[in-house]
């Protein structure tokens, strides 16, 4: 995505609890003379801030123009990941555009093929088995988290339906009371005018 030099960009990532999140990013600065983005942005760093669903700051750190950040969520929900350059220019002069490449991996642990090749066949099978077990645990966490979200949604729907039912009953009672009051008032009016 593109960003201004002093502009903060945030991404919302829905993460289950006890899950490792790894983010890789790379910043490229716009070159006015060449009219293209430079391959790197030397001297430019990025402030990375991660906020939990309870608005607690989980990570706040300055990195270089290219880097990797990681955090482990301890509560499930929408985590906000914000990136902002550490440009020292005044806002009025910070007109340079930035291109930020961001890759976020949630709960995944990728296999390092060079490590796998260095080990013998038995260790490779063992390593892959551990990796599969880890992925099964991650899938299980995801399913539990989705189950919790579905349960919260169902409870909210049931409460809303209950409130609508009671509101309809209250409206009906009010209409019946107004109807009885109008009939009594008309009857008293007709009696006082001696029309009945």
């Amino acid at each position: 995505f593109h960003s201004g030099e002093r502009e903060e960009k945030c991404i919302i990532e829905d993460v289950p609890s006890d899950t490792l999140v790894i983010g890789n990013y790379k910043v490229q600065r716009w070159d006015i003379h060449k009219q293209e983005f430079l391959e790197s942005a030397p001297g430019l760093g990025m402030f990375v801030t991660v906020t939990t669903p309870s608005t607690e700051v989980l990570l706040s750190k300055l990195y270089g123009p290219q880097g990797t950040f990681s955090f482990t969520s301890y509560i499930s929900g929408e985590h906000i990941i914000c990136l902002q350059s550490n440009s020292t220019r005044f806002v009025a002069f910070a007109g340079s555009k930035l291109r930020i490449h961001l890759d976020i991996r949630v709960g995944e642990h990728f296999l390092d093929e060079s490590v796998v090749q260095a080990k013998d066949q038995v260790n490779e099978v063992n390593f892959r088995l551990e990796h599969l077990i880890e992925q099964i645990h991650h899938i299980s966490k995801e399913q539990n988290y989705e189950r919790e979200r579905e349960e919260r949604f169902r409870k909210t729907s049931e409460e809303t339906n209950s409130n609508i039912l009671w509101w309809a009953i209250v409206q009906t009672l009010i209409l019946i009371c107004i109807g009885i009051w109008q009939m009594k008032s008309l009857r008293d009016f007709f009696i006082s005018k001696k029309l009945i």
Side-chain angles (χ1 to χ4, degrees):
F1 58 87
H2 291 159
S3 171
E5 198 167 328
R6 298 284 303 261
E7 186 180 359
E8 183 180 47
K9 292 281 188 171
C10 295
I11 290 123
I12 297 173
E13 193 67 39
D14 206 2
V15 181
S17 62
D18 298 324
T19 302
L20 177 67
V21 178
I22 300 171
N24 293 316
Y25 73 89
K26 177 183 175 184
V27 181
Q28 295 177 300
R29 182 180 284 173
W30 178 255
D31 188 358
I32 299 171
H33 305 296
K34 294 181 180 178
Q35 292 295 312
E36 65 182 18
F37 284 99
L38 299 174
E39 194 54 39
S40 66
L44 192 65
M46 294 298 282
F47 281 112
V48 178
T49 308
V50 179
T51 311
T52 64
S54 60
T55 65
E56 180 184 337
V57 176
L58 194 61
L59 172 73
S60 180
K61 192 172 177 184
L62 175 63
Y63 293 91
Q66 183 173 354
T68 301
F69 61 91
S70 65
F71 65 93
T72 302
S73 64
Y74 66 91
I75 137 180
S76 58
E78 294 180 342
H79 288 66
I80 301 170
I81 303 168
C82 295
L83 297 143
Q84 182 180 19
S85 71
N86 71 334
S87 174
T88 55
R89 296 185 190 179
F90 290 113
V91 177
F93 301 111
S96 183
K97 288 190 290 185
L98 301 175
R99 178 184 286 167
I100 302 170
H101 302 270
L102 180 64
D103 176 33
I104 297 177
R105 296 179 304 217
V106 178
E108 293 187 16
H109 302 283
F110 292 100
L111 294 174
D112 186 359
E113 293 300 327
S114 61
V115 173
V116 172
Q117 290 174 357
K119 297 181 178 184
D120 60 83
Q121 191 69 21
V122 174
N123 285 345
E124 181 179 344
V125 170
N126 188 23
F127 182 71
R128 289 188 184 273
L129 257 173
E130 287 175 6
H131 177 71
L132 287 173
I133 290 170
E134 216 171 275
Q135 288 212 327
I136 289 170
H137 287 305
H138 174 68
I139 291 169
S140 175
K141 283 182 197 173
E142 282 280 341
Q143 286 178 335
N144 289 336
Y145 177 60
E146 292 301 325
R147 217 174 277 125
E148 288 172 15
R149 285 183 64 191
E150 188 272 333
E151 188 176 330
R152 277 197 312 256
F153 178 74
R154 188 170 20 88
K155 283 181 182 176
T156 305
S157 297
E158 287 172 358
E159 287 173 7
T160 303
N161 287 339
S162 174
N163 290 342
I164 289 171
L165 174 68
W166 284 111
W167 180 243
I169 290 171
V170 168
Q171 281 182 326
T172 305
L173 289 175
I174 290 172
L175 285 173
I176 289 171
C177 291
I178 289 173
I180 291 170
W181 177 77
Q182 283 181 337
M183 286 178 12
K184 185 180 179 313
S185 296
L186 277 173
R187 186 173 159 254
D188 291 343
F189 175 75
F190 289 145
I191 288 173
S192 68
K193 296 295 181 180
K194 298 184 180 175
L195 296 172
I196 295 181

